[in-house]
Amino acid sequence: VNFMNLSTARSARRANEVGVRKAVGATRFHLVGQFLGESMLIAAVSFVIALGLAALALPLFNELAERHMHLSLPDSPGIAAGLLGLALLTGFLAGVYPAFYLSSFRPVAMLKGKTGPRFSAALLRKGLVVFQFVISAGLILASLVIDRQMHYVQSKDLGFYKEQQIVLPLLSQAAQSAYEPLKAELDRDSRVAKAGASLYYPGIMNPSDMSLFREDRSKEQYAITRMNWVDYDFLPALGIEVVAGRMFSIDFPSDTLDRIILNETAVAKLGYGSPDEALGKIVRFSWPEREFRFEVIGVVRDFHFEDLHEAIEPYGFLLNTSSQHNYLIARANTGDMQPLLADLAALWQKLVPGEPFEYTFLDQDFQKNYKNDRQMAALVGSFTGIAIVISCLGLFGLAAFAAERRTKEIGIRKVLGASVAGITGMLAGDFLRLVLIAIVIASPLAWWVMDRWLQDFAYRIELQWWMVALSGIIAIVIAFLTVSVQSIKAALTNPVNSLKTE
């Protein structure tokens, strides 16, 4: 786009060359071939330079995209040929309009300094500037929306303590056998606020569910409820809040006999009017050869056991008094985690010799669910910067040629008393109008695309008018700063020099 714009803008500089060539017998076919050849040669040279830039930028791109790609064109001749073909095709497409435009000039008119009507070329240049800034303004709005949504998912209250939660996998028989002594040591450690164990924890996949239904209703009126089997301290360790009833307690031996704790969504789906109404009620689950009955002893506040792409669903907890847990979670209350982790590693080696000590942090595990979104945010942000730079390069070049063509006009205006600010505004105004048109076109398109992207999140921000306004202001400021450099330079030129005859 920049190549086409600058080529047509500089057409006057090559008018005499084209006129002389036509006068000495060059046909339009020859001229088109010459200009297309120049364009494709530039593209081929650019391709070679681009390979070097790609090799330098690849580590940064891998970091942004969280990939491990490598560039080895000698090992992939097909890809190398395809990339070269793409570069040449780009050169051809960029040069085809300037070639036909320049070769269409009449020799007599060109040698007299008249290059013919320029309305179509000027209109095309304006259209291409608008096209570029539609992309740039749209990407600015997209970057802003993605950044706000990522900040929202990272800062939203999930309904449980996710910070400083150490997750220890108990995935082997030996590790599960060490659950009781390991938990006992954690309970005695003053640096651990609470420790509990379960089959699953928030942020990872939980494939277990039951079709629960009320005792006073038919089994067809069920609510599919995710289930987790926990020890006495798992819910307190996560800080999940009870809104009615109580949690499992060792002080209630009957809790080992088919007692269940539900979340608010499960209570609502089962048809209870309030959490208090569900207390003491029986919910059932039918298996082909057996029916299970559970008494509701507590209702907990809804929490996000999955990432924010998914809506909160019915969830239930059953007590597991055996050592067959998959994960042990310890909530630390110390600011210095390294000594605690070192002691945990030593304790692990003592209780589970021969198995490596592995751990994760709950907040980091939960954020892994947003890996693709973080990649998209990083890449869109990077491409927004690249698109803005490319657009501004073209705008800078066009502003320079516009100022050059209007040198004498600017000199006369200054002699007649025009100020630097007035001349700068005049020169910049033409381009800023194009940017405004681009913003008007880009805003509804970007709004629609980002609204569709946000639909992937069950919990999301709302698109607001200030986001569009801010992205438009950013685009205008960037364009104005780009154009004003050349405009101010032209406005500061001594009018005596501007009005001299060449």
Side-chain angles (χ1 to χ4, degrees), residues 166-418:
I166 305 171
V167 181
L168 303 178
L170 307 175
L171 302 181
S172 69
Q173 189 64 43
Q176 291 178 350
S177 299
Y179 154 72
E180 291 185 1
L182 187 59
K183 185 177 184 303
E185 289 293 333
L186 290 173
D187 289 339
R188 284 192 289 268
D189 196 321
S190 61
R191 297 168 297 180
V192 177
K194 205 72 175 175
S198 67
L199 291 189
Y200 313 103
Y201 64 90
I204 66 170
M205 181 181 178
N206 179 352
S208 299
D209 59 52
M210 292 182 180
S211 299
L212 299 179
F213 59 96
R214 290 169 47 167
E215 188 176 41
D216 57 346
R217 293 185 178 180
S218 67
K219 65 176 63 178
E220 284 74 24
Q221 296 175 287
Y222 62 85
I224 298 178
T225 306
R226 299 282 184 90
M227 298 302 301
N228 195 2
W229 285 258
V230 301
D231 69 0
Y232 289 104
D233 294 324
F234 179 77
L235 294 176
L238 285 184
I240 294 176
E241 182 182 351
V242 176
V243 295
R246 60 180 176 83
M247 295 187 180
F248 298 119
S249 172
I250 198 169
D251 297 329
F252 292 85
S254 61
D255 283 356
T256 61
L257 302 174
D258 296 333
R259 300 298 188 263
I260 192 171
I261 296 174
L262 299 173
N263 69 347
E264 293 173 300
T265 299
V267 168
K269 287 288 182 71
L270 287 168
Y272 295 110
S274 67
D276 289 315
E277 182 185 343
L279 294 180
K281 298 298 192 298
I282 302 297
V283 294
R284 297 189 294 172
F285 168 61
S286 292
W287 198 245
E289 298 180 357
R290 183 181 173 187
E291 184 171 278
F292 297 87
R293 301 173 75 253
F294 305 105
E295 180 184 344
V296 180
I297 64 168
V299 178
V300 297
R301 190 175 303 282
D302 281 340
F303 66 98
H304 293 274
F305 55 89
E306 293 181 304
D307 61 80
L308 298 186
H309 289 98
E310 308 297 334
I312 294 177
E313 298 178 0
Y315 205 94
F317 298 95
L318 296 173
L319 184 63
N320 180 8
T321 57
S322 72
S323 62
Q324 304 302 306
H325 299 284
N326 290 337
Y327 301 96
L328 179 62
I329 294 181
R331 173 156 53 94
N333 60 3
T334 176
D336 190 0
M337 298 289 287
Q338 290 307 314
L340 176 58
L341 292 173
D343 291 343
L344 283 177
L347 178 61
W348 180 273
Q349 292 303 325
K350 177 182 176 182
L351 297 175
V352 195
E355 289 193 17
F357 173 67
E358 297 179 351
Y359 69 92
T360 59
F361 290 102
L362 179 56
D363 55 348
Q364 294 177 359
D365 289 347
F366 209 91
Q367 291 302 320
K368 289 178 182 177
N369 294 302
Y370 306 116
K371 178 181 178 181
N372 291 336
D373 302 303
R374 288 197 307 272
Q375 290 174 353
M376 181 177 180
L379 293 176
V380 169
S382 301
F383 292 147
T384 299
I386 293 171
I388 289 172
V389 168
I390 293 174
S391 299
C392 290
L393 284 174
L395 203 61
F396 185 85
L398 289 177
F401 282 110
E404 182 181 342
R405 285 200 307 268
R406 302 175 74 171
T407 299
K408 285 185 169 53
E409 175 192 347
I410 294 169
I412 294 172
R413 287 180 179 273
K414 290 196 69 175
V415 169
L416 295 177

Side-chain angles (χ1 to χ4, degrees), residues 102-136:
L102 290 171
S103 64
S104 66
F105 294 159
R106 291 178 299 166
V108 175
M110 285 183 288
L111 293 175
K112 288 182 178 180
K114 300 177 182 180
T115 54
R118 300 186 179 200
F119 177 76
S120 61
L123 187 63
L124 177 66
R125 284 198 299 273
K126 292 179 179 179
L128 292 177
V129 169
V130 170
F131 169 72
Q132 280 188 316
F133 271 90
V134 164
I135 296 175
S136 297

